Each structure stands twice: as structure tokens, then as C-alpha cells.
Amino acid sequence: MNLAVVGGGVNGVMIAWTLAKRGHAVTLFERDTLMGATSRASSKLLHGGVRYLENGEFGLVKKALADRAWWLAHAPDAALAHPLPIVWPIYKGARRGRWLMKAGFVLYDLLAGSANLGRHRWLDRRSLAESGDGLKPEGLAGGYRYVDGQMDDYRLGLWAADEARQAGVTLRERAAVTRVGADGTVVVDGETLCFDAVVNAAGPWAETLLKDSGLSANVALDTVRGSHLVLDRSLSQGYLFEVPHERRVVFVLPYQGRTLIGTTELRQSPLDPVECSAAEEEYLLALYNHYFVAPAGPADVAARFAGIRPLIRSAADPNRERRDYQFTTHGRLLTVFGGKWTTAPSLAREAAGLAERACAP
Ligand SMILES: Cc1cc2nc3c(=O)[nH]c(=O)nc-3n(C[C@H](O)[C@H](O)[C@H](O)COP(=O)(O)OP(=O)(O)OC[C@H]3O[C@@H](n4cnc5c(N)ncnc54)[C@H](O)[C@@H]3O)c2cc1C
């Protein structure tokens, strides 16, 4: 079959690669450059998402843990994906107590099954002090250490794109699709091209493309910006901190010799510029300074970046919204809603099966 994929983020790339491996002729259209949008602005974690357990997303966590293993097994070198120890420190008065956390980590280990990267364990405050990372000791009871995956999202995504190219996918960058049709048509640069089926994997812009094409869906996206800061400081391991007086958590992670802090959650239109605001920078620095002895200020920020999560609209609070993905079909057109970076392999397999069914006359 002759198929088109719209969107060159991790989901579009993985769908195109999967379809090509299944013997189809595939053309991928990316309006800008491959892996240039959300997929290079992530927290760089290949993870099951331990915190999604408290939202009851057990199925998603299990799937993501299996996908985490897939990426770690297939990434061509450790610079692109490797295991990362992360500590969730517990301070006096924490919203989530030690035994609740214990239950969560036991479940996380169980859901990982044979793909577990290392069972969780409790570290007392002395062991945490020995890390040398400079956590504030006042009120620190200890913390749970667990292991997830870390990636270079941009380079790992480009590796997958290269694999897709070698499998026969035609990758067309700077090719904005202005319209898709239920009849398998794609309009690019004013030219209408016909395919047996089309997959709209435009991430946060998938719903906009549908609307611009005069199509509606019974799934809606909530587009939620998340920003990160990079500090010119090293760190021995990752940390996951509760944001004081909020349900949210924020990661502070070692990344390529520096420290990555993120993220925030602010609803925004996908049509507005995606940038880290001054208020977000202040918020993330305040979180860092709440937990670390050596304070950081604006002068310590080496870089900042932002992306928009394509979340399925499902709750009033973006923090509680589902992180899973869903598909809609209009004739020969399949649209992807949502999807984490980590779950791109599972998403691609399901999308490929649905796209093949959409080809059937
Ligand atoms: C702050 C933040 C942190 C995150 N952290 C993690 C994490 O640590 N781990 C994890 O697993 N997930 C994480 N995620 C989620 C993950 O990054 C995204 O869900 C994933 O990257 C989405 O990929 P995508 O391919 O669907 O979208 P995108 O990467 O945005 O790709 C869509 C592409 O479609 C293109 N496009 C749009 N419209 C058109 C058009 N009309 N024609 C042609 N091309 C078009 C865009 O240019 C873009 O390149 C995070 C997300 C954010 C925002």
C-alpha cells in the first residue's frame, strides 16, 4: 500500500518506520525539520511514569515500561539512551507519605516485570547526604531510589528517522500539509496527492489540521506547555521533588554533565509561540532553591526550552489528565491524539494496524 504520515516527531517517525517494515511505501511530511518540535523538548526520560500510578493509569504505565525496555535495547549507544537512577526524597510534612510511596514503587517494580532496571530501595538521610549533590538536610527523612531510562530525545529520534529512511521511507522536510481528506488525499504546497491511507501524527497540531480540513472528531486535545531550565552544574543522580503546596512534582536530573530542571504545566494554544516565560523560570529556580543548599539564580541558567504536550482533554487540572493516546478514523484518514515519547513504539504498532484497515476499500 502507499501511505502518508503527517508529522516528523517521534510518533510520526515511528509510525512511518513501522509501516515500512510491514512492506508499505511510505512518505512522511514534516512542515519544518524532523524532531524539531515537542519531541526534542521533553524531560528526556524513557519512563513508565511512576507518578501516573496515582491517577490510576496502570495500563499506560505497564505499556510504557515495556517500551522503555524497547528503546534501551535498540538505541545504538549509551549516549542516546541509558538507565538513570532517580531518588524521590521524602521530607517532613510531604503530601505523599513514606508508606504510600513504598506501595507505588512496589507496584512500579511489579508492572516492569522482567524489564525492571533495578528494584526500588530506601536510602536514609545519611546516604542521601553522601551523594554530594547538596540536598538540604532539614526535615529530610530519606528517599526512594528507583531506576528509569534517560535519552537524548533529539538524537535518538533522528536515529529512528534514519532507520525509517533505510527501511524505505521517503522523508520530506519543509513540507507543510495544509489539508488532509477522508479519501486519502494530502495537500502539500498546493498540490493534492493521493494515498491508500493517511496518518495524521501532527502531535499538538493534529486537531488543528483536522479542523483546517473541515473534519471534526469526538476526541479533543488539551495543549499544555512545559518548560525546562538547564543549569551549568553537575549532579550525581536524578531527583523527583514535590512542589511545595502543590500536587505536582518536578524533576531535577543530570543531563550531559549539566542539571536539567522541569517541568511546568500551562495551557496554551498550539498556534502561539512556545517559549519558557520569565514566571516559569522563576518557578523552577524557586523549586530548585527550596531543595538544594547552593542557590541558583538567573545567571546560572545556561539554557531554557519549552514544548507543548498533546494531552487528551479529560480533566480540569492538566496534572490529572490522561497521558495515554487515542485514535480517530475518518475513512482513509487516521488521526493520533496524545502519546508519550516513551510509548511511540506501541503507538506506532497500533497505528500501523489501524492504517492498514483504513486502506481496505
Ligand atoms: C515539557 C514536556 C516534557 C515531556 N517529557 C517527556 C518525557 O520525559 N518522556 C516521555 O516519554 N514523554 C515526555 N513528553 C511527551 C512527549 O514529548 C510528547 O508526547 C511527544 O514528543 C509527542 O510527539 P509527537 O510526534 O506526537 O509530536 P511532535 O514532536 O510535536 O511532532 C509533531 C510534528 O508535526 C509537525 N507538523 C504539525 N503540523 C504539520 C503539518 N500541517 N504538516 C506537516 N507537519 C506538521 C510539527 O512540526 C512536528 O514536528 C514531554 C512533553 C513535554 C511538552
Side-chain angles (χ1 to χ4, degrees):
M1 299 288 179
N2 187 20
L3 293 117
V5 176
V6 184
V10 68
N11 285 320
V13 163
M14 290 301 287
I15 293 167
W17 183 16
T18 306
L19 285 167
K21 281 193 284 188
R22 289 161 82 133
H24 302 292
V26 186
T27 307
L28 182 147
F29 299 95
E30 164 55 50
R31 68 175 172 194
D32 195 352
T33 53
L34 295 169
M35 298 298 298
T38 325
S39 295
R40 74 176 300 180
S42 79
S43 300
K44 327 289 181 198
L45 288 172
L46 293 167
H47 63 161
V50 69
R51 75 170 193 81
Y52 306 141
L53 292 175
E54 65 185 0
N55 290 347
E57 294 195 86
F58 306 125
L60 169 69
V61 172
K62 191 172 167 53
K63 181 162 56 184
L65 287 167
D67 283 324
R68 178 186 75 177
W70 187 93
W71 284 113
L72 289 170
H74 288 82
D77 74 67
L80 268 56
H82 53 264
L84 176 74
I86 301 177
V87 173
W88 187 318
I90 300 182
Y91 281 84
K92 192 164 172 267
R95 179 179 284 256
R96 300 159 183 92
R98 178 170 170 184
W99 300 110
L100 178 69
M101 297 294 301
K102 171 83 188 164
F105 282 113
V106 167
L107 186 55
Y108 202 60
D109 284 340
L110 281 173
L111 290 171
S114 60
N116 203 348
L117 299 175
R119 284 172 59 82
H120 76 279
R121 61 187 166 93
W122 175 256
L123 299 179
D124 61 19
R125 64 195 301 253
R126 217 187 49 190
S127 320
L128 285 182
E130 278 166 10
S131 73
D133 288 331
L135 280 191
K136 286 189 180 167
E138 300 84 27
L140 179 60
Y144 281 106
R145 177 193 187 273
Y146 68 108
V147 186
D148 253 326
Q150 187 177 51
M151 59 172 160
D152 178 330
D153 50 6
Y154 182 58
R155 287 179 57 215
L156 187 58
L158 288 185
W159 164 79
D162 199 48
E163 292 290 317
R165 187 184 288 113
Q166 288 179 40
V169 174
T170 303
L171 297 167
R172 284 189 54 184
E173 296 182 281
R174 311 249 178 245
V177 171
T178 48
R179 211 176 160 87
V180 284
D183 54 355
T185 50
V186 164
V187 180
V188 191
D189 294 332
E191 190 186 354
T192 301
L193 306 171
C194 288
F195 295 89
D196 294 309
V198 177
V199 183
N200 168 11
W205 300 276
E207 194 178 2
T208 309
L209 180 58
L210 271 189
K211 283 185 183 150
D212 290 351
S213 307
L215 298 167
S216 61
N218 55 3
V219 185
L221 277 184
D222 201 0
T223 44
V224 179
R225 183 173 78 236
S227 293
H228 288 87
L229 303 181
V230 181
L231 302 186
D232 237 336
R233 296 182 176 187
S234 63
L235 206 60
S236 72
Q237 58 194 359
Y239 294 92
L240 186 49
F241 294 109
E242 285 191 351
V243 180
H245 315 299
E246 288 185 45
R247 187 175 179 269
R248 303 193 63 249
V249 292
V250 164
F251 286 101
V252 177
L253 304 169
Y255 186 63
Q256 298 181 341
R258 292 169 152 185
T259 294
L260 180 67
I261 313 173
T263 171
T264 53
E265 280 174 320
L266 290 154
R267 288 198 164 97
Q268 79 150 77
S269 160
L271 304 179
D272 291 337
V274 188
E275 287 161 1
C276 172
S277 69
E280 286 171 287
E281 179 166 328
E282 207 177 300
Y283 173 92
L284 293 171
L285 285 174
L287 181 281
Y288 180 88
N289 291 336
H290 184 84
Y291 286 109
F292 287 89
V293 175
D300 299 296
V301 179
R304 45 187 81 63
F305 61 88
I308 339 180
R309 301 172 184 85
L311 302 182
I312 294 172
R313 191 176 286 276
S314 54
D317 174 3
N319 191 246
R320 290 180 191 262
E321 269 176 325
R322 284 172 44 199
R323 262 41 183 185
D324 213 346
Y325 51 82
Q326 210 170 319
F327 303 99
T328 62
T329 313
H330 297 82
R332 291 174 182 271
L333 170 68
L334 179 74
T335 298
V336 179
F337 287 84
K340 299 279 300 169
W341 213 108
T342 308
T343 53
S346 288
L347 182 151
R349 279 192 299 275
E350 288 177 51
L354 290 168
E356 283 166 346
R357 291 218 321 249
C359 290

